[in-house]
mmCIF file of all heavy atoms in Angstrom:
data_model
loop_
_atom_site.group_PDB
_atom_site.id
_atom_site.type_symbol
_atom_site.label_atom_id
_atom_site.label_comp_id
_atom_site.label_asym_id
_atom_site.label_seq_id
_atom_site.Cartn_x
_atom_site.Cartn_y
_atom_site.Cartn_z
ATOM 1 N N ILE Z 261 0.807 -1.220 -0.085
ATOM 2 C CA ILE Z 261 -0.015 0.011 -0.017
ATOM 3 C C ILE Z 261 0.867 1.225 0.018
ATOM 4 O O ILE Z 261 1.854 1.352 0.645
ATOM 5 C CB ILE Z 261 -0.960 0.044 1.238
ATOM 6 C CG1 ILE Z 261 -1.874 -1.182 1.155
ATOM 7 C CG2 ILE Z 261 -1.760 1.308 1.293
ATOM 8 C CD1 ILE Z 261 -2.785 -1.226 -0.020
ATOM 9 N N GLY Z 262 0.532 2.244 -0.852
ATOM 10 C CA GLY Z 262 1.325 3.472 -0.965
ATOM 11 C C GLY Z 262 0.551 4.660 -0.372
ATOM 12 O O GLY Z 262 1.200 5.533 0.204
ATOM 13 N N LYS Z 263 -0.794 4.541 -0.534
ATOM 14 C CA LYS Z 263 -1.508 5.741 -0.010
ATOM 15 C C LYS Z 263 -2.673 5.220 0.918
ATOM 16 O O LYS Z 263 -3.345 4.130 0.584
ATOM 17 C CB LYS Z 263 -2.192 6.508 -1.122
ATOM 18 C CG LYS Z 263 -1.147 7.266 -2.035
ATOM 19 C CD LYS Z 263 -1.785 7.859 -3.237
ATOM 20 C CE LYS Z 263 -0.609 8.583 -4.153
ATOM 21 N NZ LYS Z 263 -1.213 9.168 -5.237
ATOM 22 N N ARG Z 264 -2.979 5.958 1.952
ATOM 23 C CA ARG Z 264 -4.040 5.540 2.909
ATOM 24 C C ARG Z 264 -5.319 5.205 2.189
ATOM 25 O O ARG Z 264 -5.745 5.961 1.333
ATOM 26 C CB ARG Z 264 -4.234 6.714 3.855
ATOM 27 C CG ARG Z 264 -5.068 6.320 5.137
ATOM 28 C CD ARG Z 264 -5.035 7.545 6.029
ATOM 29 N NE ARG Z 264 -5.671 7.198 7.349
ATOM 30 C CZ ARG Z 264 -6.927 7.443 7.539
ATOM 31 N NH1 ARG Z 264 -7.780 8.002 6.638
ATOM 32 N NH2 ARG Z 264 -7.496 7.145 8.674
ATOM 33 N N ALA Z 265 -5.833 4.065 2.573
ATOM 34 C CA ALA Z 265 -7.102 3.676 1.888
ATOM 35 C C ALA Z 265 -8.185 3.311 3.031
ATOM 36 O O ALA Z 265 -7.910 2.438 3.849
ATOM 37 C CB ALA Z 265 -6.832 2.447 1.105
ATOM 38 N N LYS Z 266 -9.303 4.025 2.862
ATOM 39 C CA LYS Z 266 -10.368 3.700 3.695
ATOM 40 C C LYS Z 266 -11.724 3.915 2.996
ATOM 41 O O LYS Z 266 -11.976 5.007 2.344
ATOM 42 C CB LYS Z 266 -10.476 4.610 4.945
ATOM 43 C CG LYS Z 266 -11.561 4.422 5.913
ATOM 44 C CD LYS Z 266 -11.345 5.292 7.159
ATOM 45 C CE LYS Z 266 -12.442 5.055 8.187
ATOM 46 N NZ LYS Z 266 -12.356 3.676 8.902
ATOM 47 N N TYR Z 267 -12.548 2.803 2.907
ATOM 48 C CA TYR Z 267 -13.745 2.873 2.035
ATOM 49 C C TYR Z 267 -13.501 3.279 0.630
ATOM 50 O O TYR Z 267 -14.196 4.084 0.005
ATOM 51 C CB TYR Z 267 -14.801 3.755 2.740
ATOM 52 C CG TYR Z 267 -15.198 3.431 4.126
ATOM 53 C CD1 TYR Z 267 -15.144 4.429 5.139
ATOM 54 C CD2 TYR Z 267 -15.628 2.142 4.477
ATOM 55 C CE1 TYR Z 267 -15.458 4.064 6.500
ATOM 56 C CE2 TYR Z 267 -15.932 1.826 5.800
ATOM 57 C CZ TYR Z 267 -15.874 2.778 6.744
ATOM 58 O OH TYR Z 267 -16.283 2.475 8.051
ATOM 59 N N VAL Z 268 -12.570 2.607 -0.003
ATOM 60 C CA VAL Z 268 -12.284 2.931 -1.403
ATOM 61 C C VAL Z 268 -13.060 1.966 -2.234
ATOM 62 O O VAL Z 268 -13.306 0.837 -1.876
ATOM 63 C CB VAL Z 268 -10.775 2.891 -1.701
ATOM 64 C CG1 VAL Z 268 -9.943 3.880 -0.876
ATOM 65 C CG2 VAL Z 268 -10.235 1.396 -1.530
ATOM 66 N N SER Z 269 -13.341 2.403 -3.532
ATOM 67 C CA SER Z 269 -14.070 1.627 -4.385
ATOM 68 C C SER Z 269 -13.087 0.731 -5.198
ATOM 69 O O SER Z 269 -11.904 0.963 -5.153
ATOM 70 C CB SER Z 269 -14.792 2.490 -5.425
ATOM 71 O OG SER Z 269 -13.966 3.261 -6.207
ATOM 72 N N GLU Z 270 -13.668 -0.254 -5.824
ATOM 73 C CA GLU Z 270 -12.830 -1.115 -6.650
ATOM 74 C C GLU Z 270 -12.191 -0.349 -7.816
ATOM 75 O O GLU Z 270 -11.054 -0.567 -8.215
ATOM 76 C CB GLU Z 270 -13.675 -2.272 -7.292
ATOM 77 C CG GLU Z 270 -14.028 -3.399 -6.174
ATOM 78 C CD GLU Z 270 -14.773 -4.420 -6.861
ATOM 79 O OE1 GLU Z 270 -14.508 -4.799 -8.038
ATOM 80 O OE2 GLU Z 270 -15.692 -5.153 -6.109
ATOM 81 N N GLU Z 271 -13.007 0.627 -8.315
ATOM 82 C CA GLU Z 271 -12.485 1.484 -9.424
ATOM 83 C C GLU Z 271 -11.303 2.236 -9.003
ATOM 84 O O GLU Z 271 -10.424 2.468 -9.860
ATOM 85 C CB GLU Z 271 -13.564 2.347 -9.966
ATOM 86 C CG GLU Z 271 -14.687 1.602 -10.651
ATOM 87 C CD GLU Z 271 -15.606 0.978 -9.689
ATOM 88 O OE1 GLU Z 271 -15.665 1.225 -8.467
ATOM 89 O OE2 GLU Z 271 -16.398 0.007 -10.120
ATOM 90 N N ASN Z 272 -11.254 2.632 -7.758
ATOM 91 C CA ASN Z 272 -10.025 3.494 -7.362
ATOM 92 C C ASN Z 272 -9.030 2.757 -6.522
ATOM 93 O O ASN Z 272 -8.004 3.361 -6.077
ATOM 94 C CB ASN Z 272 -10.554 4.750 -6.477
ATOM 95 C CG ASN Z 272 -11.517 5.531 -7.341
ATOM 96 O OD1 ASN Z 272 -11.302 5.806 -8.461
ATOM 97 N ND2 ASN Z 272 -12.560 6.113 -6.731
ATOM 98 N N ALA Z 273 -9.286 1.583 -6.266
ATOM 99 C CA ALA Z 273 -8.406 0.786 -5.408
ATOM 100 C C ALA Z 273 -7.012 0.758 -5.737
ATOM 101 O O ALA Z 273 -6.054 0.960 -4.990
ATOM 102 C CB ALA Z 273 -8.891 -0.703 -5.185
ATOM 103 N N LEU Z 274 -6.624 0.552 -7.062
ATOM 104 C CA LEU Z 274 -5.274 0.488 -7.458
ATOM 105 C C LEU Z 274 -4.558 1.772 -7.392
ATOM 106 O O LEU Z 274 -3.274 1.732 -7.419
ATOM 107 C CB LEU Z 274 -5.215 -0.152 -8.921
ATOM 108 C CG LEU Z 274 -5.854 -1.486 -9.116
ATOM 109 C CD1 LEU Z 274 -5.615 -1.937 -10.514
ATOM 110 C CD2 LEU Z 274 -5.243 -2.461 -8.190
ATOM 111 N N ASP Z 275 -5.224 2.842 -7.303
ATOM 112 C CA ASP Z 275 -4.498 4.159 -7.044
ATOM 113 C C ASP Z 275 -3.855 4.158 -5.656
ATOM 114 O O ASP Z 275 -2.951 5.027 -5.471
ATOM 115 C CB ASP Z 275 -5.582 5.286 -7.069
ATOM 116 C CG ASP Z 275 -6.223 5.435 -8.441
ATOM 117 O OD1 ASP Z 275 -5.625 4.966 -9.475
ATOM 118 O OD2 ASP Z 275 -7.301 6.035 -8.523
ATOM 119 N N HIS Z 276 -4.196 3.313 -4.795
ATOM 120 C CA HIS Z 276 -3.611 3.267 -3.461
ATOM 121 C C HIS Z 276 -2.424 2.162 -3.332
ATOM 122 O O HIS Z 276 -1.885 2.040 -2.303
ATOM 123 C CB HIS Z 276 -4.663 2.908 -2.364
ATOM 124 C CG HIS Z 276 -5.781 3.998 -2.383
ATOM 125 N ND1 HIS Z 276 -5.720 4.975 -1.418
ATOM 126 C CD2 HIS Z 276 -6.780 4.177 -3.256
ATOM 127 C CE1 HIS Z 276 -6.811 5.758 -1.604
ATOM 128 N NE2 HIS Z 276 -7.425 5.249 -2.631
ATOM 129 N N VAL Z 277 -2.103 1.647 -4.488
ATOM 130 C CA VAL Z 277 -1.009 0.660 -4.452
ATOM 131 C C VAL Z 277 0.320 1.255 -4.816
ATOM 132 O O VAL Z 277 0.400 1.821 -5.935
ATOM 133 C CB VAL Z 277 -1.396 -0.570 -5.405
ATOM 134 C CG1 VAL Z 277 -0.303 -1.533 -5.545
ATOM 135 C CG2 VAL Z 277 -2.632 -1.267 -4.815
ATOM 136 N N ALA Z 278 1.342 1.037 -4.077
ATOM 137 C CA ALA Z 278 2.661 1.559 -4.385
ATOM 138 C C ALA Z 278 3.402 0.563 -5.309
ATOM 139 O O ALA Z 278 4.192 0.986 -6.216
ATOM 140 C CB ALA Z 278 3.548 1.749 -3.163
ATOM 141 N N GLY Z 279 3.048 -0.730 -5.194
ATOM 142 C CA GLY Z 279 3.680 -1.724 -6.040
ATOM 143 C C GLY Z 279 3.424 -3.099 -5.579
ATOM 144 O O GLY Z 279 2.611 -3.345 -4.702
ATOM 145 N N TYR Z 280 4.209 -4.040 -6.119
ATOM 146 C CA TYR Z 280 3.985 -5.424 -5.897
ATOM 147 C C TYR Z 280 5.335 -6.160 -5.572
ATOM 148 O O TYR Z 280 6.363 -5.684 -5.900
ATOM 149 C CB TYR Z 280 3.321 -6.131 -7.063
ATOM 150 C CG TYR Z 280 1.988 -5.403 -7.521
ATOM 151 C CD1 TYR Z 280 1.917 -4.471 -8.435
ATOM 152 C CD2 TYR Z 280 0.752 -5.791 -6.775
ATOM 153 C CE1 TYR Z 280 0.813 -3.848 -8.739
ATOM 154 C CE2 TYR Z 280 -0.432 -5.223 -7.072
ATOM 155 C CZ TYR Z 280 -0.419 -4.134 -8.027
ATOM 156 O OH TYR Z 280 -1.594 -3.561 -8.370
ATOM 157 N N THR Z 281 5.188 -7.259 -4.859
ATOM 158 C CA THR Z 281 6.229 -7.937 -4.369
ATOM 159 C C THR Z 281 5.945 -9.454 -4.310
ATOM 160 O O THR Z 281 4.784 -9.832 -4.452
ATOM 161 C CB THR Z 281 6.940 -7.395 -3.104
ATOM 162 O OG1 THR Z 281 8.179 -8.061 -2.910
ATOM 163 C CG2 THR Z 281 5.988 -7.646 -1.842
ATOM 164 N N ILE Z 282 6.885 -10.372 -3.923
ATOM 165 C CA ILE Z 282 6.615 -11.759 -3.632
ATOM 166 C C ILE Z 282 6.544 -11.965 -2.077
ATOM 167 O O ILE Z 282 7.447 -11.445 -1.394
ATOM 168 C CB ILE Z 282 7.743 -12.660 -4.212
ATOM 169 C CG1 ILE Z 282 7.943 -12.417 -5.707
ATOM 170 C CG2 ILE Z 282 7.453 -14.099 -3.923
ATOM 171 C CD1 ILE Z 282 9.092 -13.115 -6.380
ATOM 172 N N VAL Z 283 5.648 -12.735 -1.727
ATOM 173 C CA VAL Z 283 5.521 -13.161 -0.224
ATOM 174 C C VAL Z 283 5.380 -14.625 -0.231
ATOM 175 O O VAL Z 283 4.660 -15.276 -0.946
ATOM 176 C CB VAL Z 283 4.323 -12.523 0.421
ATOM 177 C CG1 VAL Z 283 4.167 -13.042 1.851
ATOM 178 C CG2 VAL Z 283 4.292 -10.957 0.325
ATOM 179 N N ASN Z 284 6.229 -15.103 0.657
ATOM 180 C CA ASN Z 284 6.189 -16.604 0.955
ATOM 181 C C ASN Z 284 5.382 -16.745 2.282
ATOM 182 O O ASN Z 284 5.906 -16.478 3.367
ATOM 183 C CB ASN Z 284 7.470 -17.292 0.937
ATOM 184 C CG ASN Z 284 7.396 -18.820 1.101
ATOM 185 O OD1 ASN Z 284 6.321 -19.348 1.297
ATOM 186 N ND2 ASN Z 284 8.536 -19.479 1.086
#
C-alpha cells in the first residue's frame, strides 16, 4: 500500500497501491 485507503471503491483501489512483491 502506498496511500491511505479507507472505504475505497474497486475502481479507485489500485490508485492506493505503491507496487507489488513476492511473499512466501
Side-chain angles (χ1 to χ4, degrees):
I261 297 298
K263 297 179 181 177
R264 191 172 185 268
K266 186 176 179 66
Y267 300 128
V268 301
S269 66
E270 289 181 29
E271 291 74 20
N272 296 325
L274 298 186
D275 295 338
H276 297 262
V277 174
Y280 302 95
T281 190
I282 303 173
V283 178
N284 187 353

